[in-house]
Amino acid sequence: MNESASVAPVDESTDAVRSALHDHRGQGTLVLARGVFTGPTARVKDALYAKIVAGKAHRERFSVHLEKGATVSTDTYFGDFPASYFQRWTTVTEVTVSFAHEAEGSARVLLRASDSAGNARTLSTLDFTGPGTVSLTATLDAYLDGGSLWLEFTAVDGGLTVHSLAWTVPAPEVIRPAAIAICTFNRADDCAQTVAAIAGDAEMSAGIDAVYVVDQGSDHVSDRALFTEVADTLGDKLVYLRQPNLGGAGGFTRGMYEVTEINEHANVILMDDDILCEPESVLRMNAFANVTAEPTLVGAQMLYLMNPQNLHVSAEEADLSKLKAGRWAANSLHDANLLKKKQNKRVDAGYNAWWSCLIPAEVVARIGLPIPMFFQWDDIEYGLRARGAGFVTVTLPNAGVWHADFHWKDRDDWAKYFSIRNSLIAAALHSDFDVKKLSGLLTREISQYLVSMQYGLAYTMIRGIEDFLTGPSVLEDGGQAVLASIRKERGRFPETVKHPANDIPGVRQADMVVRRAGFEPEKTRLDAVLAKRAAYQWLGRTQHGVANIPAGDAHWWHVSLFDTAVVSDASQSGVRVRRRDKETARELTARTAKLMKRFREQGPATQAQFRAALPQLTSRENWARLYGK
């Protein structure tokens, strides 16, 4: 592709976008969800959209044809209407579902509903013939703790085609302007595909006023032919920006920064570049946000990209006392096959990750922009801060995008630095920050890495804690310098390097013996086992030879039994070689002890520093400085 054909970056929002991002007058009806019968790609199972209960049926994206005697139900992940969420969080009290049909003979439709226990009931039935339109209405007054609505079609004595299905309510007086913000870093092909998915859904994109693409990489998405085609389709709606790599925090915040500068009532929809995008989910999130009782963060659920029928979790929350994110909210499904399980109970979220999340501009006006954390916990901290200011997050079922499965990512990575540092910042800002309890927790985790011969990972964690104690100044450049330094520093630890399984330095293939893990020690004995493993590692009372350990068996209490372990990487793309190194263990153990003493002494003061600096860190002026504006 010629450079002249690429999309040039712009320094600021175009005049066309500025004029488009205004409150719109509501007219007629607001579409809350459309009837979708097949996915955006063949990778996705059609049964997530509608299921053929009996007979034969043929699908298109927004229509389905039933042969004589067939029955099709929309009681599926994308086919259900989440009645409970609308009753709880919106002003909607009644919803209408309508569809167009061509029936060769008599046909029947049932409006069905469920409760929080999953018990199904029929609300109404209607027989119809010929071409025409059918509308059914349901009152949302019995779904507070859970339950959904769906339709069931039967072609009684002739073929039936159903299309243009929509769940609607009277449009509110004002429709909020909406903009999508996509952050990308050297995932040019993925990003182009995501923007193409948005542009390819004309009805959905008609309700979007702007699409911001914030490119922080060196492999520019603007150089892709597909992106140029998409730019022609989106026209003035597309704003393409380039900036230094400030991580996900800096990329997403740029979209929020630009949109909220134009309109204080806009919906900013943040979206990862590498998701498999379901455009219908964007429509549903945006529509939901237009009928909430008060400004609400609205997130999509995450489905697994490698296992597309599986839901990651219904909704998430964080446990700051343990520095843990991604905890399952009460009543959540986790890693659930959606072809077999259904989320019946309403699940309330603590936050929603930014694989796809809508943030009202009013939230930004009240609490400021995100913290320039670069990567990890920025979305969590923002959700917690919003909640503290009175803005809830709703993770909307039946609105999902596909994202890379987390369990295929290895934890022994530079990202651990940002995870631990930023979790400490979030805990300092939003919890009582018990330094004594936290120091014990941190020491235990570092010790587990040391006994399992993950010296680089232990070091990465130590560096994150040290930089937290540096205080707010560590965030001054948005994370660019530390990203380079932590990658370089990890290079001194051989086990951080991934090798091909058939070419492992210093290890003969014939010498490796697979060692599977036994039963996990009882929780009450974990500390005693850790102390014993550390002593045996120190004394060299480990099993000699080369243990070959699958990723699923690489628990600290198992790997620590051996002198040398070749461990499969969680990505399944190679192996890491862990070797007992007494001197490195001695060095890191001493450094940890000194650090934890310092953490207990300086932690409360550091907490106060971050709390005092929060307004400045999250200000438009600070971000403008980072953007070089």
Side-chain angles (χ1 to χ4, degrees), residues 515-571:
R515 300 289 191 181
R516 305 291 259 187
F519 293 107
E520 181 176 2
E522 296 178 4
K523 289 184 178 180
T524 56
R525 296 187 61 248
L526 284 175
D527 285 347
V529 172
L530 179 58
K532 183 177 179 180
R533 294 288 194 274
Y536 278 24
Q537 282 269 319
W538 183 261
L539 297 171
R541 294 174 60 182
T542 48
Q543 297 181 33
H544 303 309
V546 181
N548 185 12
I549 302 176
D553 291 283
H555 313 290
W556 66 262
W557 42 266
H558 177 57
V559 179
S560 56
L561 293 170
F562 306 99
D563 200 56
T564 302
V566 175
V567 181
S568 301
D569 191 82
S571 68

Side-chain angles (χ1 to χ4, degrees), residues 37-283:
F37 297 96
T38 189
T41 170
R43 295 171 63 182
V44 176
K45 293 184 181 296
D46 288 340
L48 287 171
Y49 292 82
K51 54 187 177 184
I52 302 170
V53 179
K56 295 182 179 180
H58 313 280
R59 312 160 185 263
E60 294 183 14
R61 178 69 169 160
F62 296 106
S63 65
V64 61
H65 176 75
L66 289 72
E67 295 186 9
K68 178 181 177 180
T71 296
V72 168
S73 170
T74 68
D75 183 20
T76 62
Y77 179 76
F78 285 108
D80 281 339
F81 178 81
S84 177
Y85 287 74
F86 278 88
Q87 182 179 346
R88 174 65 180 89
W89 298 114
T90 77
T91 58
V92 173
T93 58
E94 185 178 83
V95 63
T96 297
V97 57
S98 60
F99 59 91
H101 61 80
E102 287 88 35
E104 297 171 1
S106 63
R108 178 174 300 134
V109 61
L110 279 63
L111 176 58
R112 303 268 282 160
S114 63
D115 60 20
S116 62
N119 301 305
R121 62 190 185 277
T122 299
L123 300 181
S124 59
T125 66
L126 183 68
D127 293 333
F128 56 92
T129 59
T133 302
V134 168
S135 294
L136 301 167
T137 300
T139 302
L140 302 186
D141 61 354
Y143 306 92
L144 193 57
D145 291 333
S148 57
L149 299 167
W150 67 91
L151 296 178
E152 185 176 294
F153 302 99
T154 299
V156 179
D157 58 8
L160 168 65
T161 298
V162 173
H163 61 91
S164 305
L165 192 157
W167 299 85
T168 63
V169 292
E173 292 184 8
V174 175
I175 301 294
R176 302 166 62 88
I180 294 172
I182 301 172
C183 164
T184 187
F185 176 78
N186 289 345
R187 287 174 174 158
D189 292 327
D190 291 338
C191 184
Q193 290 288 348
T194 298
V195 179
I198 294 166
D201 191 321
E203 183 179 355
M204 182 278 290
S205 59
I208 300 297
D209 299 296
V211 178
Y212 286 81
V213 175
V214 182
D215 195 338
Q216 303 186 121
S218 55
D219 182 11
H220 296 135
V221 65
S222 59
D223 293 334
R224 296 300 190 269
L226 177 60
F227 188 75
T228 301
E229 296 170 12
V230 168
D232 291 338
T233 302
L234 290 174
D236 290 337
K237 287 186 177 183
L238 180 63
V239 181
Y240 175 59
L241 304 169
R242 287 182 191 162
Q243 67 183 32
N245 182 22
L246 295 168
F252 287 126
T253 300
R254 183 65 184 274
M256 297 166 67
Y257 178 98
E258 297 290 340
V259 173
T260 57
E261 183 180 49
I262 300 171
N263 189 289
E264 295 183 350
H265 304 286
N267 291 332
V268 187
I269 304 169
L270 308 180
M271 187 175 295
D272 270 347
D273 56 351
D274 59 343
I275 59 170
L276 173 57
C277 177
E278 171 50 84
E280 175 65 16
S281 295
V282 179
L283 182 147

Side-chain angles (χ1 to χ4, degrees), residues 321-522:
S321 69
K322 297 180 180 178
L323 304 178
K324 297 296 184 183
R327 304 299 89 184
W328 313 336
N331 298 318
S332 285
L333 298 178
H334 171 66
D335 194 11
N337 185 333
L338 296 170
L339 303 182
K340 299 179 180 179
K341 293 184 178 181
K342 179 179 176 180
Q343 180 187 322
N344 295 300
K345 291 181 172 62
R346 194 192 77 245
V347 180
D348 293 342
Y351 66 90
N352 200 96
W354 287 350
W355 44 68
S356 193
C357 184
L358 180 152
I359 300 176
E362 291 90 337
V363 177
V364 180
R366 176 82 63 83
I367 72 172
L369 292 161
I371 298 176
M373 290 176 164
F374 187 82
F375 174 74
Q376 297 277 1
W377 280 80
D378 48 322
D379 46 5
I380 300 168
E381 187 283 326
Y382 200 79
L384 295 173
R385 185 160 25 118
R387 186 88 182 199
F391 299 103
V392 300
T393 296
V394 174
T395 297
L396 193 63
N398 319 106
V401 297
W402 290 270
H403 184 281
D405 307 29
F406 288 147
H407 54 268
W408 284 77
K409 296 183 178 181
D410 202 276
R411 296 179 64 192
D412 195 348
D413 188 69
W414 56 265
K416 182 64 176 180
Y417 165 88
F418 291 99
S419 177
I420 191 63
R421 188 199 69 182
N422 296 347
S423 66
L424 286 167
I425 294 173
L429 291 170
H430 303 296
S431 75
D432 57 7
F433 204 65
D434 185 337
V435 292
K436 183 177 180 181
K437 181 178 179 181
L438 287 172
S439 67
L441 180 149
L442 294 168
T443 300
R444 184 179 299 110
E445 186 172 351
I446 293 172
S447 299
Q448 290 172 358
Y449 294 148
L450 291 175
V451 300
S452 55
M453 300 171 288
Q454 291 181 287
Y455 305 115
L457 187 55
Y459 174 84
T460 306
M461 187 169 172
I462 289 168
R463 285 281 283 108
I465 302 167
E466 290 174 341
D467 278 4
F468 164 74
L469 292 174
T470 300
S473 64
V474 75
L475 304 177
E476 187 172 349
D477 74 341
Q480 298 176 78
V482 75
L483 172 64
S485 65
I486 197 65
R487 282 174 160 171
K488 182 178 180 180
E489 291 165 30
R490 281 174 51 85
R492 64 173 275 217
F493 301 99
E495 83 285 349
T496 64
V497 179
K498 185 167 56 177
H499 305 282
N502 60 359
D503 186 15
I504 307 171
V507 177
R508 296 194 314 168
Q509 296 288 319
D511 292 337
M512 291 195 296
V513 179
V514 174
R515 300 289 191 181
R516 305 291 259 187
F519 293 107
E520 181 176 2
E522 296 178 4

